[in-house]
Amino acid sequence: MAAPKPEYPGDRVYVDEKINRSPSNSDHAIYDDTDGQHERLGFWTRMGCTPDSFKRRSLDKHGQLNQTLKSRHLHMIAIGGSIGAGLFVGSGSALTRGGPAALLIAFGIIGIMIFNVVYALGELAIMYPISGGFYTYSTRFIDPSWGFAMGWNYVFQWAIVLPLELVVAALTMEFWEPNISTPGSITVFLVAIVVINIFGVLGFGEEEFWSSLLKLTAIVIFIFIGIIFVCGGGPSNGLYSEYSGARTWYNPGAFANGFKGVCSVFVTAAFAFSGTELVGLAAAESKTPSLSLPGAVKQVFWRITLFYILSLLFVGLLVEHTNPRLLGSGSFGANAEASPFVIAAQEGGLIGFDSFFNVVILISVISIGNSGVYGGSRTLTALAEQGYAPRIFAYIDQAGRPLFSTIFVIAFGCLAYLSSAAASVEIFDWLLALSGLAALFTWGSICLAHIRFRHAWRYHGHTLEEIPFRSMFGEAGSWVGLGLIAIVLVAQFYVALFPLGGAPPDPKTFFKAYLALPVVILFWIIGYAWKRQGWLRTAQIDVDTGRRPFDFEKDAQEKARIAASSFPKRMYHLFC
């Protein structure tokens, strides 16, 4: 029997476990500070700079994180937050393995997948504004044991990314000073990340805003330079002083290793898009998530088409996939000198632009490392609040920082010092194996959680009109996203089993490419053994508890206003 339709708005108070929230405070439901306690603290305590700021915040079990992120922070996190070494440097190895056509095909497919993933996440995050984001949706709509696996998978994904990014940052410094101390550089960058996190979510938000602004500016500049180079307007001392058009697509060719080359690019593309989902996590610490998040989600379209696809189009038009310098880039961007963006600038004869782009790469990898601390610590705190991790990780201090969770993730940064060990290459290959496919399981879980939410939503007698923000392609979009993820996993399995170059199958090579799968399965087994909870039936899924109250009358008026506006304005609201 279907559940009775809930009353909207203002006729009832929704309850999220132990926290009562009135509909009048809809934008602060779940996350609002109790009685303005945070505002009564001194400025430097709120900023996390005094001894008192490290004391425990005495609020409810949930809702202790600050809500200091603004719309500009969320928008920049959505459009540029995860752009880093995967795009700027890792695209070089992808180009040499697959060729320019494979680069566009793989990144385009991953882009379509990400588009649907982020829209599905936006629908869920606006409906259920819960700290911990997508992990809690897996627990609520799929399977508590799978939620446990996805939560810990996400924590370790980011915990492992942090030392990798620190090493990339240290190696980037060698562009200017080849003999610089790698451990010394790692220490400087690790301290920088610690300092940023002292200021909590506000430090993260400001760092992401300005670093994203720099990254996006650099990409726009590169696109304009690419247009000029392709048309033959480059300096006379460079390779692009004459019209070249699509010559690299004909000689040496559009594909490097045929179908297998395309398959080999998928994992690099997935790594390059990793972190896109952080906008849903950051919404928990936004002042007005129901107003800010829809615009941030819509801007992912521009990020995919303009900043990824268009920039990679010019990379493929300017840099031949047989360029020997690309061979040193590594799948995840271990050597900034092998960046195709830097190579194009140097071969085009642009004095100083290669140094400028290396500065951008340096800031980008630090930004991704900082995102790793943010994403890992918030998810670990949510796990602790749900009883899926030791309770000490639920500790929130007076400045609103998940203190011990942040320390736990930052501690993994010390693994970067292993880069000085004799077996460093082997060690980091296995660390990469742990994180390489982890994001795909997270994205697949978001799509599946959205599909199951929609099923339960209909089962309990609700209509689509009751959903405040709907995914652009709805349930079908999530099925497309889930299907593309399955295709990418199969493609990676194929490449792991039959590597490029015709090498015979090798267990070590296979597990380096596919280690994330058995790790996720292990987490699920642990979660099931601990909680003894499996797949949820549709009737068991609760779609009402913790749901954000919504003013449907006001929303209908706004939609009518947009529908009556001019075509350009309607397009602006559709994509912005």
Side-chain angles (χ1 to χ4, degrees):
M1 180 177 178
K5 180 179 178 180
E7 304 163 33
Y8 288 97
D11 293 326
R12 61 184 290 188
V13 175
Y14 291 91
V15 180
D16 178 39
E17 297 186 8
K18 298 182 180 179
I19 305 176
N20 296 328
R21 301 293 185 207
S22 84
S24 62
N25 293 324
S26 59
D27 278 332
H28 298 278
I30 312 300
Y31 306 110
D32 214 8
D33 287 327
T34 302
D35 299 326
Q37 176 178 326
H38 183 66
E39 284 70 20
R40 292 198 299 269
L41 297 172
F43 173 79
W44 291 111
T45 299
R46 283 185 280 129
M47 290 295 101
C49 299
T50 66
D52 286 341
S53 69
F54 293 93
K55 294 179 180 178
R56 191 181 193 113
R57 176 173 284 185
S58 56
L59 300 182
D60 294 323
K61 175 184 175 184
H62 300 287
Q64 303 184 66
L65 299 174
N66 291 339
Q67 299 82 51
T68 49
L69 289 180
K70 300 177 182 178
S71 293
R72 65 181 178 90
H73 295 133
L74 281 186
H75 286 197
M76 275 302 186
I77 291 170
I79 200 169
S82 68
I83 295 176
L87 173 64
F88 290 138
V89 188
S91 58
S93 71
L95 179 61
T96 196
R97 291 197 311 271
L103 199 63
L104 292 182
I105 291 170
F107 272 80
I109 289 174
I110 297 293
I112 293 170
M113 178 186 70
I114 284 293
F115 181 85
N116 289 295
V117 168
V118 174
Y119 263 89
L121 177 60
E123 180 177 314
L124 293 173
I126 291 170
M127 180 74 93
Y128 305 100
I130 303 169
S131 177
F134 24 86
Y135 134 71
T136 56
Y137 302 138
S138 294
T139 300
R140 180 168 185 165
F141 300 119
I142 303 174
D143 171 359
S145 301
W146 183 251
F148 174 92
M150 286 299 96
W152 278 106
N153 174 67
Y154 199 69
V155 169
F156 280 105
Q157 172 192 336
W158 282 119
I160 291 167
V161 164
L162 175 59
L164 295 175
E165 296 295 333
L166 288 172
V167 172
V168 173
L171 293 176
T172 302
M173 294 296 295
E174 295 180 3
F175 178 83
W176 296 283
E177 183 55 57
N179 297 321
I180 194 170
S181 168
T182 298
S185 297
I186 289 172
T187 302
V188 170
F189 297 128
L190 185 58
V191 169
I193 288 176
V194 171
V195 170
I196 291 170
N197 279 275
I198 286 175
F199 297 97
V201 68
L202 185 59
F204 167 75
E206 288 298 331
E207 182 273 332
E208 284 298 293
F209 177 83
W210 292 108
S211 63
S212 295
L213 187 61
L214 175 64
K215 288 184 280 188
L216 300 181
T217 302
I219 292 176
V220 171
I221 292 172
F222 176 80
I223 290 172
F224 278 109
I225 290 175
I227 295 172
I228 295 171
F229 279 4
V230 168
C231 294
S236 58
N237 62 331
L239 298 181
Y240 312 113
S241 58
E242 296 180 0
Y243 175 78
S244 59
R247 63 174 177 81
T248 58
W249 284 59
Y250 297 99
N251 183 24
F255 294 94
N257 290 287
F259 176 71
K260 189 180 290 187
V262 176
C263 293
S264 70
V265 176
F266 280 125
V267 68
T268 303
F271 185 82
F273 279 105
S274 293
T276 306
E277 71 287 339
L278 277 175
V279 65
L281 203 63
E285 296 178 76
S286 167
K287 289 184 177 180
T288 56
S290 63
L291 299 177
S292 306
L293 192 54
V297 167
K298 292 174 183 178
Q299 288 181 0
V300 170
F301 170 81
W302 299 109
R303 170 180 166 182
I304 294 170
T305 56
L306 179 62
F307 299 112
Y308 277 84
I309 304 302
L310 201 53
S311 64
L312 291 175
L313 170 64
F314 286 104
V315 162
L317 291 174
L318 296 173
V319 183
E320 297 178 357
H321 66 74
T322 55
N323 191 310
R325 291 178 58 186
L326 292 173
L327 297 176
S329 60
S331 297
F332 301 90
N335 183 0
E337 290 189 61
S339 165
F341 294 83
V342 173
I343 292 172
Q346 290 178 332
E347 294 188 344
L350 291 182
I351 299 174
F353 190 75
D354 52 349
S355 289
F356 165 72
F357 227 95
N358 268 284
V359 171
V360 175
I361 293 172
L362 181 62
I363 292 175
S364 298
V365 296
I366 296 173
S367 169
I368 297 298
N370 192 47
S371 295
V373 175
Y374 179 82
S377 63
R378 269 58 182 180
T379 304
L380 182 55
T381 299
L383 283 165
E385 289 177 345
Q386 295 290 329
Y388 286 176
R391 286 294 303 167
I392 190 173
F393 293 120
Y395 184 101
I396 309 291
D397 65 19
Q398 293 283 3
R401 299 167 299 200
L403 188 61
F404 292 110
S405 295
T406 301
I407 293 172
F408 176 82
V409 177
I410 288 178
F412 274 80
C414 295
L415 292 175
Y417 293 107
L418 293 175
S419 61
S420 300
S424 61
V425 174
E426 188 72 13
I427 292 170
F428 279 91
D429 277 349
W430 285 106
L431 289 177
L432 289 172
L434 284 170
S435 63
L437 295 178
L440 290 171
F441 294 106
T442 297
W443 297 335
S445 295
I446 292 171
C447 289
L448 184 57
H450 179 244
I451 292 168
R452 300 227 63 212
F453 157 72
R454 284 290 187 95
H455 285 179
W457 189 252
R458 289 194 299 270
Y459 177 87
H460 290 290
H462 296 292
T463 64
L464 291 180
E465 286 68 30
E466 297 175 66
I467 300 176
F469 174 80
R470 293 189 289 277
S471 174
M472 181 174 288
F473 297 109
E475 196 174 331
S478 290
W479 277 114
V480 169
L482 198 59
L484 290 176
I485 289 169
I487 290 172
V488 171
L489 289 173
V490 170
Q492 181 63 12
F493 183 86
Y494 169 62
V495 175
L497 202 58
F498 304 102
L500 292 177
D506 176 61
K508 185 176 180 180
T509 302
F510 175 81
F511 280 107
K512 279 186 178 181
Y514 232 76
L515 184 60
L517 177 60
V519 170
V520 168
I521 294 174
L522 176 63
F523 278 137
W524 181 85
I525 292 173
I526 294 172
Y528 184 80
W530 186 359
K531 296 297 181 180
R532 293 292 177 181
Q533 293 176 295
W535 180 267
L536 296 174
R537 297 181 180 274
T538 304
Q540 295 177 284
I541 298 175
D542 177 11
V543 296
D544 290 314
T545 300
R547 179 153 54 94
R548 182 195 302 277
F550 192 71
D551 190 337
F552 287 93
E553 182 179 349
K554 183 178 179 180
D555 182 62
Q557 293 174 353
E558 177 65 13
K559 288 179 179 177
R561 184 189 68 80
I562 294 172
S565 62
S566 63
F567 178 76
K569 286 186 177 180
R570 293 200 303 273
M571 290 298 100
Y572 173 82
H573 284 285
L574 180 63
F575 292 106
C576 299

